[in-house]
Amino acid sequence: MPDHEQDQGLQEARALLASARKVCVLTGAGVSAESGVPTFRGEEGLWKSFRAEELATPHAFRRDPRTVWEWYDWRRGRIRGCVPNPGHYALARLALGARSVRIVTQNVDGLHEVAAREAAGSRDPSPALPLEVHGSIFRVRCTSCTYRIPHRDRVRTESEAVLPRCPVCGSLLRPDVVWFGEALDSRVLEEAFESARGASVCLVAGTSALVQPAASVPLATLEGGGSVVEVNPADTPLTSMADVALRGPSGEILPRLVEGLLP
Ligand code: BV8
Ligand code: ZN
């Protein structure tokens, strides 16, 4: 996109955000790409090399929990070494600057939370944390009872016998993420759509806008008469409905977008 068009888009987007009463931010794997977290459908996409549609499902876990845990343990290892990038920090500053900004993320890598806590520092010991609609790769839950706990350690996957088990009931533990074919937590989902419905602007960054129901969050803002600003190097199914489409990496665009907005 030529620079002058980009600058004009940035000015339009800044004006929409500056006059917004409430802002809902929806992010996808693209905002973590510059942190080194592989996206799902990109060139080096996760789904490509790991037959992911077959792995991120409850059926796959029932059939072959060892292979599913092997994939998640590999991903956790990849993500554990990643840190937030300037895009995460720009959104954290935006959210810190105004309680009327809500971050809704499809990502399970926890990088928005790391950025939010760092941006808040000692000023705000309990900053508003992002809504993780697809769960967290660094939390596990029991396949039978309500046991659920943060979990960042390596997982042994050499045999089914050594896979992690629930200390309460002995059943297998699983990554606390939402798999394909599984319903999202209804309260989390309602909070995400409520935030979008009431927002004057939905800022959508780094998502291919393919996975439902998260991909419909920005539509709730449009239905409420609000605007959509999209940040993505590529077109998506949302682009034609966006008021402003900023073409480029979120790690570069979001700091430029936010710099003109914060005190
Ligand atoms: C549900 C957690 C119903 C796990 C994820 C057929 C069979 C089964 C289901 C379905 C079906 N057809 C439709 C469905 C529904 C399905 C769905 O939407 N499928 C899609 C693929 C068609 N949805 C579901 O199954 C959902 N549940 O519908 O339940 C139900 C109701 C009641 C009772 C029972 C059931 C659950 C969906 C959640 C799946 N879990 N993740 C894990 O991570 O292991 S989804 C996964 O995809 C991630 O969360 C990821 O965030 C998400 C979306 O992908 P994106 O984030 O958009 O990432 P992607 O790689 O696709 O795109 C990256 C983008 O970034 C690109 O646009 C790229 O251009 C851009 N980019 C790249 N670099 C940068 C950048 N942008 C900015 N800066 C950069 N530097
Ligand atoms: Zn249990």
Side-chain angles (χ1 to χ4, degrees):
M1 174 181 276
D3 274 355
H4 68 276
E5 265 187 52
Q6 185 76 290
D7 290 346
Q8 189 189 335
L10 272 168
Q11 281 169 25
E12 276 178 49
R14 272 196 208 107
L16 285 170
L17 287 167
S19 60
R21 279 173 302 97
K22 284 181 68 183
V23 176
C24 175
V25 182
L26 175 71
T27 68
V31 296
S32 294
E34 291 152 272
S35 296
V37 180
T39 62
F40 288 83
R41 294 164 190 85
E43 284 322 303
E44 77 307 335
L46 280 173
W47 299 138
K48 279 211 176 72
S49 39
F50 280 81
R51 310 181 325 282
E53 276 87 350
E54 288 101 63
L55 290 179
T57 72
H59 176 67
F61 192 77
R62 276 192 301 276
R63 193 188 60 237
D64 184 359
R66 200 200 61 72
T67 301
V68 174
W69 258 121
E70 191 178 17
W71 183 51
Y72 278 91
D73 183 54
W74 174 80
R75 284 175 63 193
R76 285 156 49 116
R78 281 289 299 264
I79 296 169
R80 210 175 281 117
C82 296
V83 295
N85 65 63
H88 291 108
Y89 289 117
L91 292 177
R93 286 198 307 277
L94 186 68
L96 200 62
R99 283 288 170 200
S100 54
V101 175
R102 192 83 170 96
I103 297 177
V104 177
T105 187
Q106 300 172 83
N107 301 341
V108 297
D109 58 31
L111 292 181
H112 280 300
E113 178 168 345
V114 174
R117 293 189 185 285
E118 280 183 29
S122 53
R123 278 176 297 164
D124 185 349
S126 56
L129 296 180
L131 215 49
E132 296 177 324
V133 297
H134 291 160
S136 166
I137 203 166
F138 290 120
R139 207 173 43 236
V140 294
R141 65 180 162 90
C142 179
T143 49
S144 303
C145 74
T146 57
Y147 181 79
R148 180 188 301 240
I149 193 169
H151 184 285
R152 296 183 68 86
D153 301 336
R154 288 301 307 270
V155 170
R156 290 180 57 199
T157 61
E158 57 271 28
S159 74
E160 196 161 323
V162 298
L163 293 179
R165 288 194 171 269
C166 174
V168 174
C169 74
S171 302
L172 274 177
L173 294 177
R174 57 167 280 183
D176 190 17
V177 298
V178 180
W179 280 328
F180 286 103
E182 285 187 322
L184 280 67
D185 177 305
S186 53
R187 279 170 297 110
V188 169
L189 195 58
E190 181 40 37
E191 196 176 330
F193 275 93
E194 197 179 314
S195 164
R197 274 194 293 272
S200 326
V201 177
C202 188
L203 174 58
V204 185
T207 182
S208 58
L210 292 172
V211 174
Q212 295 298 348
S216 296
V217 164
L219 306 188
T221 300
L222 290 174
E223 281 153 25
S227 307
V228 166
V229 173
E230 183 181 50
V231 178
N232 196 316
D235 279 8
T236 73
L238 193 66
T239 304
S240 60
M241 293 175 263
D243 296 77
V244 183
L246 300 171
R247 281 286 158 270
S250 49
E252 286 170 25
I253 289 185
L254 289 174
R256 290 177 62 198
L257 178 61
V258 167
E259 74 197 5
L261 293 169
L262 294 178

